[in-house]
Amino acid sequence: MGEGKDMRRPPWKTEGRVMLSGVLVLGALALVLALMSPRHSEEWSFPSVAVLMALTLGVGVLLGSRRRECSTPAMQRREWESRVLGEVGDRLASTLDHEQTLTNVAALAVGSLADCCLLALETEDWRPRRLKAVHRDANQGPLVEALERTALERRGPSLLSPLLETRRPWVLPEVTSGSLQSLARSEEHLRLLLELNPRSLMGLPLQVHEHFLGTLVLVASAPRHAYGEADLRLGEELARRAALAIQSARLYRTAREATQARDDVLAVVAHDLRNPLNAISISAQTLLRQQIVVGDTRLQAPLRIIRGSVERMNRLIQDLLNVSRLEAGRLAVETYPEPTESLLQEALEEARPLASRLQLGTDIAEVLPWVRVDRERILQVFSNLLGNALKFTPPGGRVTLGARAEGTVVRFWVSDTGPGIPPEAREHLFDRFWQMRHGDRRGAGLGLSIAKGLVEAHGGRIWVESEPGRGSTFCFVVPVAHEAPTLTSSGP
């Protein structure tokens, strides 16, 4: 339940004549002064000019006032409707929560056009799922709760029947006891309708691009207030905006539910996969040690392949979990001052075993400041970028890891002499699960997406520079650690 701000009665107030009266009084005073003043010449004197200006202004104000009097009701109505729709837009745009959106819709309808609002939503099988009621009078709480508990079925007449059948807006200017009896489905239902005491009704469909979401019924209980065409036009605009807000809230809720379901599945899969993978890894390691002890080399190579496959599977599982955490905003980074040279050397050494058929070097020719990063997370960024470059650079090519200071940030890059990236593919490189070559088995398309999320979690940014046939350079920046120790000299 809730109460809306009372916007039903537009301020139809006729403008006063204070300004006009004042101008006329001043004009009359100026005329008296002009008549009493001696005329030394035939030229216009100051009092004469004042009289003429005052009289002219007075006539203009009088004519304008009469013109405004003729158009005041229509103009004030339009101004009032603009204020109402402005508040409607602000309130509906303030949240994507589904339940809060429903409350806002009902409260806004009560605040602008109705004494009571009945909002019924439908499910995919076109049957009303629920009823939400809001009344202007807080003392009508029991009635509102009884209305919300009313079973809404397609069978039998009800206030919603005309909308469910035609899905067109309608107005019942005057409600009679006979019309209430025709709309009641039971004695209890009739009792609730009589207690509601409707004097006039308006029914509005909630639709978005022909998709029927539900119905909005407005009830006017105030005496001498009957809905008309102007009210219907305002109600239709209110219903249109309400339908868009409800649809947005539904889509947002569906997306959140789908994300939560995916995260739950990933957590279960990751847990259930890692147990057997750990068993395989331990068994392979044990067998490999035994083969080394006895000097049998026949199974050492296959066992190392098994261990490598297990490590790749573990990395893939971790990537999936990292993507899930990044999307949910749960991937935290704990930043500390770190020596840039040490980070580069460690990243280079980790990548060196994978670069047996490539040239792997550095481009660090200046003194570098320390950076403020989460060491493990930023090493993961290096690992993803270097692994990507090594994967797509042909044998004999070169992969270079570089860095330089640029004001308050340090810029890192990984460049390669691979085939390069066409322009149409660059905009998708950091998308999840995207691969430039469909069916590529060398990855799941998560490495660059994770790298982007980790860099942005540090307050930095990441981008790519590439031309087909001329290789690629992936760059990212992270902040300098201003509280770090003195600058260090970089090594070769």
Side-chain angles (χ1 to χ4, degrees):
M1 292 189 297
E3 293 185 45
K5 180 183 177 181
D6 192 349
M7 297 180 290
R8 289 180 303 166
R9 300 185 182 276
W12 307 145
K13 295 182 180 179
T14 304
E15 294 185 359
R17 305 288 182 85
V18 177
M19 179 181 293
L20 176 61
S21 301
V23 170
L24 292 178
V25 169
L26 290 175
L29 180 60
L31 179 60
V32 172
L33 292 174
L35 293 174
M36 296 178 62
S37 64
R39 302 185 61 177
H40 297 289
S41 68
E42 296 181 356
E43 297 179 354
W44 286 98
S45 63
F46 174 77
S48 301
V49 174
V51 168
L52 180 61
M53 292 178 62
L55 290 177
T56 302
L57 181 59
V59 172
V61 172
L62 176 62
L63 294 176
S65 177
R66 291 179 62 85
R67 185 175 181 180
R68 284 196 299 274
E69 286 179 4
C70 297
S71 59
T72 288
M75 291 179 61
Q76 289 183 343
R77 171 81 189 194
R78 286 195 295 270
E79 292 174 359
W80 172 70
E81 290 181 352
S82 297
R83 289 196 300 270
V84 169
L85 294 177
E87 180 170 344
V88 167
D90 292 340
R91 287 279 296 277
L92 294 181
S94 65
T95 181
L96 281 173
D97 180 77
H98 189 259
E99 290 301 315
Q100 186 60 48
T101 298
L102 300 184
T103 300
N104 287 347
V105 168
L108 286 166
V110 166
S112 58
L113 282 171
D115 293 291
C116 182
C117 169
L118 306 177
L119 173 62
L121 296 183
E122 297 203 345
T123 56
E124 294 180 357
D125 59 358
W126 306 110
R127 299 185 62 183
R129 176 177 62 87
R130 58 172 297 183
L131 177 71
K132 185 170 188 63
V134 172
H135 201 285
R136 179 180 300 278
D137 187 356
N139 296 324
Q140 294 293 339
L143 174 60
V144 168
E145 293 175 0
L147 288 170
E148 289 184 340
R149 289 195 301 267
T150 302
L152 294 172
E153 298 182 356
R154 297 295 293 272
R155 300 187 302 272
S158 72
L159 288 175
L160 309 178
S161 297
L163 288 172
L164 295 175
E165 293 170 1
T166 66
R167 295 177 186 171
R168 297 178 64 85
W170 54 265
V171 166
L172 186 60
E174 184 177 356
V175 178
T176 64
S177 58
S179 59
L180 282 183
Q181 290 177 0
S182 66
L183 293 175
R185 290 185 285 105
S186 64
E187 290 295 329
E188 176 63 17
H189 192 203
L190 178 60
R191 185 188 67 79
L192 294 175
L193 293 179
L194 289 173
E195 188 177 349
L196 189 59
N197 189 29
R199 302 295 183 91
S200 187
L201 297 174
M202 183 191 306
L204 302 162
L206 299 172
Q207 300 184 101
V208 178
H209 303 307
E210 305 302 325
H211 179 52
F212 190 65
L213 302 178
T215 58
L216 188 66
V217 176
L218 306 183
V219 181
S221 300
R224 301 183 303 279
H225 183 76
Y227 289 132
E229 291 298 322
D231 296 315
L232 180 60
R233 287 194 299 270
L234 179 59
E236 287 182 287
E237 182 61 25
L238 171 63
R240 185 186 70 82
R241 300 187 183 199
L244 290 172
I246 292 173
Q247 178 76 340
S248 298
R250 280 186 172 183
L251 294 174
Y252 180 70
R253 183 183 63 182
T254 300
R256 287 180 61 88
E257 290 173 350
T259 300
Q260 185 60 48
R262 183 207 59 193
D263 292 347
D264 294 342
V265 170
L266 281 178
V268 172
V269 169
H271 179 270
D272 291 348
L273 281 179
R274 275 179 166 167
N275 287 336
L277 283 175
N278 288 336
I280 294 173
S281 178
I282 293 172
S283 299
Q285 180 67 21
T286 301
L287 289 173
L288 182 59
R289 287 174 180 172
Q290 292 176 353
Q291 296 297 316
I292 293 174
V293 170
V294 300
D296 190 348
T297 60
R298 292 174 299 173
L299 297 178
Q300 291 183 18
L303 289 171
R304 288 192 175 92
I305 292 174
I306 292 173
R307 288 184 57 198
S309 298
V310 169
E311 290 174 359
R312 284 193 297 274
M313 283 292 294
N314 273 320
R315 282 197 299 270
L316 178 58
I317 292 171
Q318 189 59 47
D319 284 349
L320 291 171
L321 293 175
N322 283 337
V323 166
S324 176
R325 294 190 186 108
L326 283 169
E327 286 186 346
R330 297 195 302 266
L331 186 62
V333 293
E334 298 181 5
T335 60
Y336 299 96
E338 296 286 350
T340 303
E341 177 188 358
S342 173
L343 291 171
L344 294 170
Q345 291 299 330
E346 185 170 346
L348 196 67
E349 292 305 316
E350 288 183 359
R352 198 175 296 281
L354 304 175
S356 57
R357 295 183 299 172
L358 301 171
Q359 302 178 52
L360 184 61
T362 59
D363 180 11
I364 311 168
E366 61 180 34
V367 175
L368 294 172
W370 285 37
V371 289
R372 187 170 186 84
V373 295
D374 184 318
R375 186 178 186 85
E376 294 303 318
R377 297 298 189 187
I378 217 67
L379 286 175
Q380 185 178 358
V381 174
F382 283 127
S383 176
N384 289 357
L385 296 182
L386 286 167
N388 200 65
L390 295 172
K391 186 192 310 179
F392 292 101
T393 301
R398 180 176 180 81
V399 173
T400 303
L401 175 62
R404 69 166 176 261
E406 295 183 349
T408 60
V409 299
V410 171
R411 174 175 176 174
F412 298 94
W413 67 87
V414 175
S415 61
D416 62 62
T417 57
I421 304 168
E424 62 273 13
R426 288 201 289 269
E427 59 181 287
H428 300 290
L429 279 178
F430 297 100
D431 294 347
R432 296 183 306 276
F433 302 106
W434 188 86
Q435 293 179 319
M436 190 163 60
R437 298 179 181 86
H438 295 292
D440 196 326
R441 301 291 183 180
R442 290 174 291 181
L446 292 174
L448 293 179
S449 176
I450 293 171
K452 180 176 183 291
L454 292 175
V455 169
E456 291 177 348
H458 283 81
R461 66 184 185 94
I462 187 170
W463 70 97
V464 62
E465 300 168 356
S466 180
E467 293 183 17
R470 303 188 64 178
S472 305
T473 300
F474 285 85
C475 308
F476 70 93
V477 295
V478 292
V480 169
H482 296 289
E483 72 279 24
T486 56
L487 299 179
T488 62
S489 299
S490 60

